[in-house]
Amino acid sequence: MEISAQHVWLMISAAMVLLMTPGLGLFYGGMTRAKAALNMIMMSFISAGIVGVVWVLWGYSMTTGDGVLGIFGNPFANFGLQNLMGSPDLIKAGYSATFAIITVALISGAIADRAKFGAWALFVPLWITVVYCPLAYMVWGGGLMSAGGAVTAVFGQVIDFAGGAVVEISSGTAALVLALIVGQRHGFAKDPNHRPHNIPFIMLGAAILWFGWFGFNGGAATTAEQAGLIWVNTLVTPAAAMLSWLVTEKIRHGHPTSLGAASGVVAGLVAITPSCANISPVAAIGLGFVAGAACAVFVDLKYRFGLDDSLDVVGVHLGAGLIGTLALGFIALPVDGQGGGLFYGGGAQQLIAQTAAVVITLLLSGAGTFVIGRAINKTIGFRVSLEAETAGVDLAEHAESAYAFGEIGAGFNPLHPASHSPAAGVAAAADRPSKSATRTKEDSFA
């Protein structure tokens, strides 16, 4: 079988979506303190490593084929993807793996600064197996919420083109539960050093995410007309969400910020994910305006409720995921003159179906994450010690530091290497300001 343009596009889209996970690492790494930046990036990278292996062995098999009670596929039916050898379906398997990778990586932002790397590495394969694979099967693989499924027969067909429920609501719900299990960082809402340390990293990460999202949403397009609609909607919804977030920031806090711009883009991308192929560009603009403004408010609620969702996974991914998924009940386009959302005269059926999908996702992800998170926390423990958190999880968990502030220019002359000898170091130290005099500067990189 010759390779087709569709096959090539799917492989390119898979590469774009895979790039999103390192982009997420930069986005999250910039949002945390300098002494936890590498840990956040590593949590994204290890997600790719673990899920890549799990997906080939049993993950993909659990999302396809004959299912168990319409909940998950037989994990041994395509174990190791042996049955797909010689088939173009291997491309689809690779593409779907990148979705699983980014979904679980998203959760890590809720427990920044305080999680054991080993505990996270154990959480990843368990969550993918217990939560993500069943949801993917139920919505996309022929399960309960697919065409002909039991839930569909009762509530109607769910629309979730690229993962509003499967990816965004599931990860946002898991982030909420895990943040509650792990608990607040020391100094949460009090320590001024709990703030982003590298805004350019955040902006770069958001840009990579926006780029990759065109493959995330558009990879499954089957016609040029559908691909064009998806592309435009994936452009305009985050654009509108960024504007509305910045306006909301200006009204509420007096300044539009770079962090707000990046967060607005992500909120818009999340919101358009389930509906990218099913709403008009004008509706996509409206969806972006609503999602950006709403999520700008949502992220501040964590302080009111004492929820240390460190990097706003709940406020952005759960918040915008709910908005985008439920919005289809109002703005979904009719298909061949039939159905559609309330605004197109389609009645309440689509809203009922979307609500059913939201409830099922919340229950499955919430319960699954609670069981996994509690089990890990009760056995090996999920969070580092107070001493490790204070010193920084980068050093405690990885024996590394993202920045070598103390080694830059401190008595070292590259033309005279001897100046870096221990004796030279002692002499240079005598000329440095005292620790207390440099405290303010050091704290700015905490």
Side-chain angles (χ1 to χ4, degrees):
M1 182 178 187
E2 292 186 359
I3 191 167
S4 68
Q6 182 67 27
H7 295 143
V8 173
W9 169 237
L10 194 58
M11 287 190 290
I12 292 173
S13 295
M16 293 169 67
V17 180
L18 182 60
L19 181 63
M20 290 171 66
T21 298
L24 179 72
L26 288 175
F27 185 77
Y28 279 173
M31 287 182 71
T32 191
R33 296 183 289 181
K35 58 189 177 184
L38 291 180
N39 179 253
M40 289 313 306
I41 295 172
M42 277 292 290
M43 289 171 89
S44 287
F45 268 78
I46 198 65
S47 298
I50 292 172
V51 178
V53 173
V54 167
W55 205 251
V56 169
L57 293 180
W58 69 82
Y60 179 72
S61 187
M62 288 185 65
T63 65
T64 58
D66 296 330
V68 178
L69 302 176
I71 298 174
F72 60 89
N74 181 356
F76 303 105
N78 285 306
F79 189 85
L81 304 183
Q82 289 297 317
N83 296 338
L84 300 185
M85 296 290 288
S87 166
D89 286 343
L90 268 175
I91 302 174
K92 177 184 175 184
Y95 178 60
S96 62
T98 62
F99 277 67
I101 290 168
I102 188 74
T103 302
V104 71
L106 288 170
I107 303 168
S108 65
I111 53 173
D113 274 344
R114 62 200 188 279
K116 291 180 180 177
F117 189 69
W120 173 252
L122 179 58
F123 174 85
V124 169
L126 292 175
W127 192 86
I128 285 293
T129 303
V130 173
V131 177
Y132 181 85
C133 288
L135 276 173
Y137 180 75
M138 283 190 275
V139 175
W140 296 327
L144 294 175
M145 292 184 277
S146 301
V151 172
T152 301
V154 176
F155 299 104
Q157 181 62 61
V158 174
I159 299 175
D160 191 4
F161 190 84
V166 179
V167 175
E168 306 300 348
I169 295 177
S170 71
S171 61
T173 303
L176 171 61
V177 174
L178 209 56
L180 290 171
I181 291 173
V182 176
Q184 297 178 353
R185 289 167 292 176
H186 295 283
F188 170 66
K190 299 175 182 177
D191 186 347
N193 291 313
H194 284 172
R195 63 183 186 273
H197 88 281
N198 194 322
I199 301 298
F201 265 21
I202 297 172
M203 302 297 280
L204 177 60
I208 293 173
L209 287 170
W210 198 349
F211 169 78
W213 227 290
F214 287 100
F216 191 90
N217 285 349
T222 56
T223 66
E225 293 81 4
Q226 186 183 60
L229 179 62
I230 292 171
W231 202 99
V232 170
N233 285 347
T234 306
L235 168 70
V236 75
T237 308
M242 174 175 58
L243 297 178
S244 65
W245 188 301
L246 292 176
V247 170
T248 304
E249 264 193 331
K250 175 66 176 176
I251 294 172
R252 288 169 57 86
H253 305 299
H255 302 281
T257 67
S258 300
L259 176 60
S263 299
V265 166
V266 174
L269 290 166
V270 171
I272 196 59
T273 294
S275 59
C276 55
N278 300 92
I279 65 175
S280 71
V282 172
I285 294 174
L287 177 61
F289 282 143
V290 172
C295 290
V297 175
F298 291 161
V299 297
D300 286 341
L301 294 179
K302 66 183 182 182
Y303 299 108
R304 177 177 298 179
F305 294 106
L307 172 70
D308 191 1
D309 169 26
S310 312
L311 309 184
D312 302 324
V313 186
V314 179
V316 174
H317 291 274
L318 179 56
L322 289 171
I323 291 170
T325 301
L326 294 175
L328 279 157
F330 300 91
I331 59 177
L333 291 168
V335 178
D336 298 325
Q338 301 296 316
L342 283 166
F343 294 171
Y344 290 91
Q349 188 61 56
Q350 194 61 59
L351 181 58
I352 293 172
Q354 298 306 115
T355 303
V358 165
V359 172
I360 292 171
T361 304
L362 289 171
L363 290 175
L364 177 56
S365 183
T369 305
F370 179 79
V371 171
I372 297 168
R374 286 280 291 177
I376 293 174
N377 202 40
K378 288 294 185 180
T379 51
I380 65 174
F382 223 119
R383 71 180 296 163
V384 299
S385 66
L386 172 60
E387 293 76 16
E389 183 180 337
T390 302
V393 288
D394 286 355
L395 286 174
E397 294 294 299
H398 308 290
E400 293 179 305
S401 177
Y403 306 97
F405 295 124
E407 299 173 11
I408 298 175
F412 175 65
N413 185 339
L415 299 179
H416 297 86
S419 66
H420 200 51
S421 66
V426 172
D431 294 331
R432 293 178 200 155
S434 67
K435 183 175 180 180
S436 60
T438 61
R439 189 61 163 172
T440 302
K441 182 177 179 181
E442 288 176 358
D443 282 351
S444 67
F445 295 103

